[in-house]
Amino acid sequence: MILNLNTVPALAWTPLEFFSPVWEWGTPVKQQLLAMDTGSSVTWVTCIGSAFQAGDYSYLKSTTCTLVTCADPGCVPYGTLCVHQAAECPFTLKYFSSVASVDGIFVKDTITFSENLSVPSMMFGCGFPKAPIKEDFSGTGVMGLTNHPLSMASQFGSVFSYCIGNMHDPSYGFNTLILNDGLLLGNSTPILNILSKIYVNLQSITVRGEVLDINPIIFDRDITHGGSGTIMDSGSPKTLLADVAYNALRDKLKQIMAPVSAEAMCFYNLQPSQVPEVEFIFEQGAKLSLGMGALFSPGESSPRVQCFNGVKPTSGMSGVLGNVTLIGINAQQFHNIGYDYNAGKMYISMV
């Protein structure tokens, strides 16, 4: 099932670059805008009544909606929250990159993916966010794409892919998500799903073909500490680099280029030809090739100023993220990213 993420371009792109499928939910249909997130386990939409997140889906008004009870097999992962078998199946989600949490109940309803495709009885969450889930995100929920049984990916066979082009062009019309039978192109690399996060084995970072002096152990997941390892996360716009990796990449780019602001790594009237190619090299040879669009974004003060996308985990997040490296959607531009959870592999192909 091939889905164009830019069917409604004005809705499928937001200032912080969350790519969001626009689908219709329930009967009568209500259009929903979801953040496409490989770091989230559950697909959910905001129910009417949330003061923190837009949304007009109401399970009470949809004629095709049925409530999921604690007796439903689909509720098993959340059974510890159940009061009794006849009760509504509840859920609570927390997002480690913010203070946001979402409480809600699971329902089943019809989702209309396109004019010719409607799927009845899809299970998803009806959420009541307690705070905005992502800064400046104007959508109505999250599309979970992990290997969790209730994620959208798992409900469509655990094989999917997406291809994202120019993140900074809202009129770019070729962003594509394929569910149920993804395009698995290019070299593959092993993945490990832990606590609804996709861990990969990042082995090195190169600039103009030169391998940076970074001990690869910094990218490894330490099973004794949750705050380490390398995560692929389409729900995060920026890329978080472990301190050692961030410093090495920043210093190399500063050596080659001449930033206006050395601390913020900002450049005035930056051109693609001035930006050296940066590559993230994974186990078994898969790689992400990062050019200007992936490494830099327009600054807040002026669109003529471009600032480095790589960031360190902030002090407010260090207790959760620690020495983690998180590869966000910006770094995945101009690549087809395919996942096969059944085989435990991710495929990367530059387009």
Side-chain angles (χ1 to χ4, degrees):
M1 178 173 63
I2 301 177
L3 303 166
N4 188 328
L5 297 187
N6 290 82
T7 303
V8 185
L11 293 178
W13 181 90
T14 61
L16 277 185
E17 301 148 355
F18 300 107
F19 271 88
S20 312
V22 182
W23 297 332
E24 295 175 330
W25 301 62
T27 308
V29 297
K30 295 292 185 180
Q31 195 172 74
Q32 305 296 317
L33 176 66
L34 277 63
M36 188 182 75
D37 193 358
T38 56
S40 291
S41 58
V42 173
T43 295
W44 62 270
V45 297
T46 304
C47 285
I48 292 175
S50 172
F52 301 102
Q53 205 75 36
D56 60 357
Y57 173 80
S58 174
Y59 68 98
L60 297 174
K61 295 181 180 180
S62 175
T63 59
T64 48
C65 177
T66 57
L67 295 177
V68 175
T69 69
C70 290
D72 190 298
C75 188
V76 170
Y78 296 88
T80 56
L81 301 176
C82 286
V83 178
H84 52 80
Q85 291 291 289
E88 298 168 342
C89 180
F91 70 89
T92 295
L93 301 174
K94 296 184 184 297
Y95 291 90
F96 70 54
S97 59
S98 72
V99 297
S101 64
V102 181
D103 292 336
I105 60 171
F106 284 107
V107 299
K108 292 181 181 179
D109 207 341
T110 298
I111 300 180
T112 301
F113 295 96
S114 66
E115 183 178 350
N116 301 317
L117 180 61
S118 293
V119 180
S121 299
M122 289 288 295
M123 187 169 169
F124 59 90
C126 186
F128 303 94
K130 296 180 179 179
I133 58 165
K134 297 177 186 291
E135 183 182 357
D136 291 341
F137 176 61
S138 58
T140 61
V142 170
M143 181 177 65
L145 286 173
T146 68
N147 71 333
H148 188 279
L150 296 182
S151 77
M152 191 66 72
S154 295
Q155 293 191 65
F156 279 95
S158 298
V159 179
F160 69 98
S161 65
Y162 53 83
C163 186
I164 303 299
N166 191 342
M167 298 288 293
H168 311 297
D169 181 4
S171 65
Y172 185 88
F174 302 100
N175 302 306
T176 304
L177 168 68
I178 303 178
L179 294 172
N180 201 42
D181 189 20
L183 287 176
L184 304 181
L185 305 174
N187 289 334
S188 67
T189 189
I191 59 175
L192 185 62
N193 285 274
I194 301 176
L195 298 176
S196 296
K197 299 293 179 285
I198 301 172
Y199 285 87
V200 293
N201 296 320
L202 178 61
Q203 296 187 325
S204 63
I205 298 175
T206 68
V207 179
R208 287 182 175 170
E210 178 185 343
V211 178
L212 298 183
D213 185 16
I214 305 171
N215 188 334
I217 197 172
I218 198 68
F219 300 124
D220 292 345
R221 175 173 169 78
D222 182 349
I223 61 174
T224 62
H225 299 90
S228 61
T230 303
I231 298 170
M232 295 292 292
D233 190 354
S234 68
S236 172
K238 292 185 178 294
T239 291
L240 278 64
L241 294 170
D243 286 358
V244 173
Y246 175 88
N247 292 337
L249 179 56
R250 178 202 59 195
D251 292 347
K252 190 63 178 180
L253 291 176
K254 284 169 61 177
Q255 177 185 332
I256 296 173
M257 307 166 71
V260 174
S261 168
E263 181 61 30
M265 282 291 288
C266 293
F267 299 79
Y268 187 71
N269 282 339
L270 188 65
Q271 301 300 314
S273 60
Q274 298 174 262
V275 180
E277 183 181 50
V278 173
E279 290 187 328
F280 289 1
I281 312 296
F282 301 93
E283 181 181 353
Q284 297 182 0
K287 63 184 180 181
L288 280 173
S289 299
L290 285 64
M292 175 175 163
L295 291 170
F296 296 90
S297 293
E300 295 180 3
S301 60
S302 168
R304 300 179 70 180
V305 175
Q306 299 283 328
C307 295
F308 183 45
N309 278 326
V311 295
K312 296 181 181 180
T314 64
S315 57
M317 298 161 65
S318 61
V320 179
L321 293 177
N323 223 11
V324 75
T325 289
L326 185 149
I327 301 175
I329 194 67
N330 233 314
Q332 302 175 43
Q333 287 181 94
F334 304 108
H335 291 81
N336 184 84
I337 309 293
Y339 291 95
D340 184 348
Y341 290 149
N342 301 315
K345 293 183 178 181
M346 177 182 71
Y347 293 76
I348 305 175
S349 177
M350 194 170 184
V351 296

